[in-house]
Amino acid sequence: MTDPAITNALAQRKHLEEKLAECEARAKRVRAQLSDINKFISQWEKLSGQPAFNSVTTVDKGNLSQNNTDSGLSSRLRNPKKEKVATLVREILEERGRPMMRADLYKALQSRGIQIYGNDPEMVLSTMLWRVGEEFKIGRLKSGGYWLSDRAAPEVQTEIDTRPIKDVFS
């Protein structure tokens, strides 16, 4: 005599494995579409000589989770490869010709169509740069900004506010 509990468990397992295979196939199709779009944007930027400004700079996580649940996709989004991010950061720093703060680098990457995901995307960017910084010659300055470690940092002039602190915040 077959135990109904094990029969039920085997049927549920089969159903979930089929559902997972469907989800993985759909995720593969979505990644291919995203890749095609990114290739188009990159080509357009090269031909136009301009960055493609991303009008959507943040992901609505509430809608994202709902959409992914409905479609069966995992709610975890993949970040671009750290090497790709480092290559773009190096290009941005070379173009600007001066050190840049992490928030500014993050915005510049977004304007080039690069989206970094996580609870704190700017910290994720820092971690990426820390991991590949030596290889790509990108370093973090004591002032907090990032610069090319194979070049001397340009002198950055800052204006010092000499007003008494109570006047600054009034």
Side-chain angles (χ1 to χ4, degrees):
M1 179 176 211
T2 307
D3 184 352
I6 194 68
T7 304
N8 187 32
L10 291 169
Q12 284 183 6
R13 180 175 73 181
K14 181 180 180 195
H15 172 73
L16 291 174
E17 286 172 343
E18 290 169 355
K19 193 173 181 180
L20 182 60
E22 290 171 13
C23 291
E24 289 171 346
R26 185 160 196 285
K28 186 176 180 180
R29 289 191 305 270
V30 169
R31 280 191 202 98
Q33 290 173 340
L34 184 58
S35 176
D36 289 345
I37 289 170
N38 285 336
K39 287 175 188 173
F40 169 79
I41 291 169
S42 178
Q43 190 66 22
W44 182 88
E45 287 177 329
K46 286 178 186 174
L47 294 173
S48 70
Q50 305 175 45
F53 293 100
N54 188 358
S55 62
V56 181
T57 57
T58 59
V59 173
D60 182 345
K61 291 181 183 176
N63 288 341
L64 180 65
S65 297
Q66 181 181 7
N67 291 342
N68 284 341
T69 301
D70 293 346
S71 66
L73 290 177
S74 167
S75 63
R76 184 171 180 260
L77 298 173
R78 292 182 184 249
N79 280 317
K81 299 271 186 202
K82 60 187 176 286
E83 294 82 4
K84 179 179 181 178
V85 171
T87 299
L88 286 171
V89 165
R90 189 163 175 88
E91 288 175 13
I92 291 166
L93 290 171
E94 287 172 347
E95 288 169 10
R96 300 280 170 97
R98 61 176 172 76
M100 292 178 67
M101 299 302 285
R102 177 179 69 187
D104 296 327
L105 279 171
Y106 179 72
K107 289 175 189 170
L109 287 168
Q110 283 185 317
S111 74
R112 293 180 182 216
I114 299 296
Q115 184 65 45
I116 298 175
Y117 302 100
N119 289 336
D120 185 350
E122 290 182 19
M123 185 55 75
V124 173
L125 171 61
S126 287
T127 302
M128 288 178 169
L129 295 177
W130 174 74
R131 288 184 175 158
V132 296
E134 213 172 291
E135 178 183 352
F136 285 83
K137 307 292 185 212
I138 299 170
R140 188 167 182 274
L141 302 172
K142 288 182 182 178
S143 62
Y146 288 86
W147 183 239
L148 308 170
S149 59
D150 56 349
R151 298 186 190 170
E155 188 98 8
V156 179
Q157 294 293 326
T158 57
E159 192 173 307
I160 298 173
D161 193 341
T162 57
R163 294 178 291 169
I165 195 142
K166 64 180 180 159
D167 294 339
V168 173
F169 293 102
S170 336

